[in-house]
Amino acid sequence: AKKKAPCPGLGLFYTLLSAFLFSVGSLFVKKVQDVHAVEISAFRCVFQMLVIIPCLIYRKTGFIGPKGQRIFLILRGVLGSTSMILLYYAFQTTSLADATVITFSCPVFTSLFAWIFLKEKYSPWDAFFTLFTITGVILIVRPPFLFGSNTSGMEESYSVHLKGTIAAVGHAVFAAVTLVILRKMGKSVDYFLSIWYYVVLGLIESIVVLFITGDWSLPYCGLDRLFLILIGLFGLGGQVFLTKALQIEKAGPVAIMKTMDVVFAFIFQIIFFNDMPSLWTVGGALCVVASSTGAAIRKWLQSSK
């Protein structure tokens, strides 16, 4: 017989808590404007490394991983850290709601890449969800050649908004590839070991980029330093609770509940930045969330058969 969840709804509660922690971490990224996105990623890697090392020692998994999986672990680390840098850049250059909504296109890209690399089935429904997601992103980007020169309602110039949007889409793409790699490895690699590769290679990547660009600078005030610590802790907490949720709940309900990220992003943007999302953003959010939710429900129903 299948094991039941320790408590009905506990997995969904973990997902809700994970969404809240990720959203608060995103809020802190938005608040720290004087520190480059790459540097924020470096600080997060350092703080998470201090937490992961004792976990790996306690679990006795080692720090290298199975021989046949090391290349996938390296790819997971590099692509995952690149995805996180792009996400932080998106949060800093465009609105919290816009960046969060665009990241929800990740499941659509995951289905596409799983079809290409893992030979998983890609149905007309998946293609429909992809087009619906692209429509939502277009409503958020509002390219002038489709919407004219009117870009009112944005808190920043359109060129900066466009850079942030491209970074958010890049995050979704790299995160999707990372998920495909994790799916490829399956349960043969301990989850904490996967995070270990992410923080180590992410720290190396961040240091190299900062050395090349010369954007390294210490935070000016103690509040910014506190924000950097909290970004690392809230990000790690979000990952842990999301993993626990997936261990005791089906992926479909978890993916649906995770759309609360968007709700929290809209709430935080209104409360902390006094920025009311435009109708275009709300329409784009509905398209992206509807497509990701539809894809999750479809996968859930297929796995239940």
Side-chain angles (χ1 to χ4, degrees):
K2 293 184 178 179
K3 293 183 179 180
K4 295 183 179 180
C7 176
L10 183 61
L12 297 182
F13 173 75
Y14 282 156
T15 308
L16 181 64
L17 184 57
S18 170
F20 177 76
L21 293 176
F22 277 132
S23 298
V24 174
S26 303
L27 173 63
F28 289 143
V29 173
K30 187 71 175 175
K31 283 288 188 180
V32 183
Q33 289 289 343
D34 295 329
V35 181
H36 196 278
V38 180
E39 189 174 346
I40 296 177
S41 179
F43 275 106
R44 172 175 172 170
C45 289
V46 170
F47 294 132
Q48 290 190 351
M49 188 182 298
L50 297 177
V51 177
I52 292 298
I53 290 176
C55 293
L56 289 176
I57 295 174
Y58 175 78
R59 297 168 72 92
K60 299 179 181 180
T61 58
F63 294 86
I64 300 178
K67 187 175 181 180
Q69 302 292 344
R70 291 171 191 169
I71 182 63
F72 295 114
L73 285 168
I74 293 174
L75 289 173
R76 181 266 184 272
V78 174
L79 296 177
S81 58
T82 302
S83 172
M84 190 56 57
I85 291 173
L86 290 172
L87 179 62
Y88 288 165
Y89 182 79
F91 283 138
Q92 288 188 332
T93 53
T94 191
S95 72
L96 190 64
D98 286 359
T100 303
V101 169
I102 293 175
T103 61
F104 267 79
S105 60
C106 178
V108 176
F109 289 117
T110 302
S111 298
L112 180 61
F113 292 141
W115 170 57
I116 296 174
F117 297 109
L118 301 181
K119 308 304 179 184
E120 293 186 4
K121 186 178 179 180
Y122 190 79
S123 69
W125 275 110
D126 294 314
F128 171 76
F129 292 138
T130 301
L131 291 176
F132 210 52
T133 298
I134 293 174
T135 301
V137 173
I138 290 175
L139 290 177
I140 294 173
V141 178
R142 305 201 294 279
F145 69 89
L146 289 178
F147 291 82
S149 58
N150 181 18
T151 57
S152 59
M154 297 182 185
E155 64 180 41
E156 61 287 295
S157 67
Y158 182 76
S159 61
V160 176
H161 170 76
L162 183 61
K163 291 178 182 178
T165 302
I166 293 174
V169 174
H171 159 79
V173 171
F174 281 108
V177 177
T178 302
L179 288 173
V180 171
I181 293 172
L182 290 173
R183 189 179 299 178
K184 174 70 175 178
M185 291 189 296
K187 297 182 180 179
S188 62
V189 176
D190 187 271
Y191 179 74
F192 283 101
L193 183 62
S194 174
I195 300 179
W196 167 251
Y197 268 82
Y198 159 72
V199 296
V200 170
L201 295 178
L203 180 60
I204 295 174
E205 180 181 353
S206 298
I207 292 175
V208 171
V209 173
L210 289 171
F211 178 78
I212 294 174
T213 60
D215 289 321
W216 170 266
S217 63
L218 288 175
Y220 293 110
C221 66
L223 190 60
D224 281 347
R225 297 170 189 175
L226 176 62
F227 284 160
L228 290 173
I229 296 174
L230 292 176
I231 288 169
L233 294 178
F234 276 92
L236 180 61
Q239 288 181 328
V240 170
F241 279 108
L242 183 59
T243 302
K244 290 178 68 67
L246 289 170
Q247 288 176 342
I248 61 177
E249 185 61 81
K250 292 183 178 180
V254 169
I256 296 172
M257 179 61 74
K258 201 175 182 309
T259 57
M260 286 299 296
D261 280 19
V262 176
V263 177
F264 287 131
F266 275 75
I267 293 174
F268 291 162
Q269 179 171 315
I270 295 172
I271 294 176
F272 294 99
F273 300 102
N274 196 26
D275 179 19
M276 185 66 68
S278 67
L279 292 178
W280 293 115
T281 296
V282 174
L286 291 176
C287 289
V288 174
V289 172
S291 62
S292 62
T293 302
I297 293 176
R298 184 174 177 277
K299 296 290 185 183
W300 179 24
L301 293 176
Q302 284 181 333
S303 62
S304 301
K305 291 181 180 180

